[in-house]
Amino acid sequence: APEHVSALMRDGCDAVHAHDPRALCVVGPAPYYKVFNFDERILLDRENVLYTFDFFVPWALVTADTGKGDTATFPGTFPCGD
């Protein structure tokens, strides 16, 4: 559940910061840091927190699963949502 993941991240950051308050704590949404799972539940009321997420768009550029991976180029122009 998202609440459990958020609690784990909060507790983990607190444990790290107890040893070094200057340390950077890196957190992100579950599962697999997907951007569409990033919402206010991820935000921690803590200092020195870096939020990360995977932004695999356009999908064809980052995977060959769609069959377009061989033809996608960078830089390139891709329709939104492709």
Side-chain angles (χ1 to χ4, degrees), residues 2 7-8 11 14 22 27 39 44 47 56 62 64 66-67 70 74:
L8 177 68
D11 293 347
D14 288 348
R22 299 169 302 154
V27 300
D39 61 27
L44 304 179
E47 292 187 20
F56 291 147
V62 296
T66 62
D70 294 342
F74 182 83

Side-chain angles (χ1 to χ4, degrees), residues 6-7 9-10 13 25 27 40-47 49 51:
S6 182
M9 290 186 299
R10 184 184 60 249
C13 288
C25 187
V27 300
E40 66 277 351
R41 294 174 295 186
I42 303 303
L43 302 177
L44 304 179
D45 187 19
R46 305 286 188 275
E47 292 187 20
V49 176
Y51 299 95

Side-chain angles (χ1 to χ4, degrees), residues 58 60-61 72-80 82:
L61 190 60
T73 61
F74 182 83
T77 302
F78 299 89
C80 185
D82 189 10

Side-chain angles (χ1 to χ4, degrees), residues 51-75:
Y51 299 95
T52 184
F53 56 86
D54 290 338
F55 194 67
F56 291 147
V57 174
W59 185 250
L61 190 60
V62 296
T63 181
D65 290 347
T66 62
K68 296 180 183 178
D70 294 342
T71 60
T73 61
F74 182 83

